Amino acid sequence: MEYWDVLVVGDGPAALRAALASTSAGARTMLLSEGGLGHSGIGLAENAIAASLQESTTKGHRDDTIRTGGWLCDQDIVSSRASSAASIIAELERWGLVFRRDSAGLPRSFAGLGHTTPRVSGCGDGTIRGVQQVLEERCIRDNIHRRGECLPLKLIVEESHIRGLVYYDLSQGRIDVIQAKAIILADAGFEGAWNGVSNGGTGMAIAARAGISLRNLEFQSWSPLNVAGTNLNLPNGLLANGGSVISPTGEVIGVEGSLSPTQIAVAMTAEGTGCVLDSRHISGDGSIWYAHTISLLNQRTGLDLGSDVIPVQPAVSATIGGIPVDEHGRAVNGEWGKWMSGLYAVGDAASSGFHGASMAWGNRLLDDLLSGRDAGNHAGKWAAANKATPSSLLEESRQEVEANINDRLLNDSDSSKIGAVRSSLRNELNAGMSLQRDGESLETCLAGLAQLKEISATVNVEDSSLLMNTNLLEVLRLENACLLAHMATSAALFRCESRGSHLRSDNEQRDDDNCLKHSLVSMEGDVSNLPIRMSVGGTWILAPEP
């Protein structure tokens, strides 16, 4: 049986950084990913890193993050992440990432989109590609083993301890199992469910089925720059480089530079359809740093960013909730101080406590890199200090999963088609889990998703082979998406207030007395709470403001 000290699930910046840290800590580490190698999992919208490079302290970054997150952030986590942000920029520079620079030769910082002062740096629309490249090069240098085209199916847990993972190897056409002391879930979120794409969310789904209640699933990050009629989200950085969102009446939306992407999306929703992006006067050398975006937009739509106004609309760009974790990335099992030993989560798979109820520009990639580094380091040291425990459950679990998959492949009943279920899922979420929610629409959505959750478990698989069965892959992904959508809607119905990206027309005010706490939702849809972490001493670092 294959064995590794640490198994990292994912292939984006969070996964790569976790694998590097785990290897540096002395652990035998492998990266396992669903798709082909080299996909970051982060779209153009989040293409930047926030760090206080030109400020005397990191207090401003910390406070802006807490305010943008609607005071639902774990404040000790925010303070730690903000303090460490500059070290991530320095590390990436040292490894070869070429930042856009100012006249003093420092990485150039931009303001806006959740930040009150210039604090966001990057390489234009090439930031994600550049980060991915330098991390992959480091993984090659460290001889980290990588395996693609593998879909995780089940976490093997024995007495609240991780023992291994059952997965579907498409290229080999088999259901296999890996034994590991520690597993780091570092794959994508399930934001594609809003856009008719069912990939992502695998780590969250298998954690939920293993008994972990997921945190704050009712919150999503919205991009204001989705090109109308497409699934293309333009980079938020265009708004920091001279671009503006114009309402149907000709007014600029988001004149206040510190509005987060989600807050701009909310303002656009209030204006109705017909908003446009005007980047015809993009500042300085911005057209050079966003050349890929200009080319991609022209190829997809025939529009020219430099001469045309672009019809845009809000769209979900990231899910904020996920597997609840502590400062080391350990999966919290229902309450602080109680973990599923050996299970870690980072990046979009995790709810790290950094973002709260809404996400500031540049914080997503920052959280990926810092959470990956910290979890990989802790998991590597934890694996070195603990012995692998033989367990008959490994092979038993593999056989059980294989039998279930074979039954599904041999089921030739006239069940629902994958395209119809995916379309219904998208429609339900856009009707009930949009930027305009209320109790009635959420209850209707929840009922529809409950049906889809059942239907998705019986969706017809047209190909009966295991070898490179992409139809089976999509069916299993869709089942995960329906489960997570049902859990997210359950959490949204439970939160009877408006906070961050969760805006209820029947509860329009923030309710700190009753709702200033994290939600936890089980795979059955049962919702409970988890207290917010303040400072180490138990006091507010930044007390909630009206």
Side-chain angles (χ1 to χ4, degrees), residues 91-111:
E91 179 179 78
L92 291 171
E93 278 202 300
R94 190 167 63 251
W95 289 351
L97 185 64
V98 179
F99 282 90
R100 190 177 178 183
R101 297 189 176 277
D102 60 20
S103 58
L106 297 173
R108 186 174 176 183
S109 297
F110 292 87

Side-chain angles (χ1 to χ4, degrees), residues 483-544:
L483 168 64
L484 294 171
H486 183 268
M487 294 173 68
T489 307
S490 298
L493 183 60
F494 183 82
R495 184 173 289 279
C496 296
E497 65 160 354
S498 291
R499 186 185 300 271
S501 61
H502 175 69
L503 300 172
R504 290 187 54 161
S505 59
D506 54 348
N507 291 278
E508 295 182 343
Q509 302 302 314
R510 221 175 66 201
D511 184 0
D512 289 346
D513 292 336
N514 298 303
C515 299
L516 191 54
K517 58 190 78 170
H518 302 298
S519 67
L520 290 177
V521 59
S522 69
M523 67 172 291
E524 294 80 16
D526 299 323
V527 185
S528 57
N529 294 121
L530 184 70
I532 286 177
R533 291 170 51 148
M534 302 181 190
S535 68
V536 176
T539 58
W540 289 112
I541 294 175
L542 181 66

Side-chain angles (χ1 to χ4, degrees), residues 4-9 29-32 165 178 180 182-185:
W4 295 88
D5 290 333
V6 177
L7 177 64
V8 181
V9 175
T29 304
M30 185 178 80
L31 276 160
L32 188 79
L165 176 78
I178 295 176
I183 295 176
I184 303 175
L185 300 175

Side-chain angles (χ1 to χ4, degrees), residues 19-183:
L20 288 168
S22 172
T23 301
S24 296
R28 293 181 63 251
T29 304
M30 185 178 80
L31 276 160
L32 188 79
S33 60
E34 290 185 35
L37 304 180
H39 180 253
S40 71
I42 298 181
L44 282 173
E46 311 292 341
N47 227 329
I49 306 173
S52 301
L53 301 180
Q54 299 180 16
E55 301 166 73
S56 58
T57 73
T58 59
K59 179 178 179 296
H61 187 187
R62 180 198 71 195
D63 292 354
D64 283 347
T65 297
I66 293 171
R67 289 191 178 97
T68 298
W71 279 270
L72 204 66
C73 307
D74 290 322
Q75 297 196 359
D76 59 335
I77 299 290
V78 175
S79 181
S80 174
R81 292 276 195 272
S83 297
S84 301
S87 68
I88 285 293
I89 298 289
E91 179 179 78
L92 291 171
E93 278 202 300
R94 190 167 63 251
W95 289 351
L97 185 64
V98 179
F99 282 90
R100 190 177 178 183
R101 297 189 176 277
D102 60 20
S103 58
L106 297 173
R108 186 174 176 183
S109 297
F110 292 87
L113 301 164
H115 301 279
T116 55
T117 60
R119 189 180 294 131
V120 183
S121 301
C123 322
D125 59 22
T127 305
I128 294 296
R129 295 193 303 275
V131 170
Q132 186 81 9
Q133 180 178 339
V134 298
L135 292 177
E136 288 181 349
E137 289 172 354
R138 300 295 292 189
C139 287
I140 293 171
R141 193 205 67 164
D142 288 356
N143 295 314
I144 295 175
H145 186 74
R146 299 179 67 181
R147 185 176 303 162
E149 307 291 353
C150 295
L151 178 70
L153 298 175
K154 182 180 181 179
L155 289 169
I156 303 172
V157 183
E158 188 174 41
E159 297 179 349
S160 295
H161 285 71
I162 286 293
R163 300 302 184 205
L165 176 78
V166 179
Y167 68 99
Y168 168 33
D169 189 333
L170 276 79
S171 62
Q172 298 298 316
R174 67 189 182 203
I175 307 299
D176 216 334
V177 63
I178 295 176
Q179 182 179 7
K181 295 180 186 177
I183 295 176

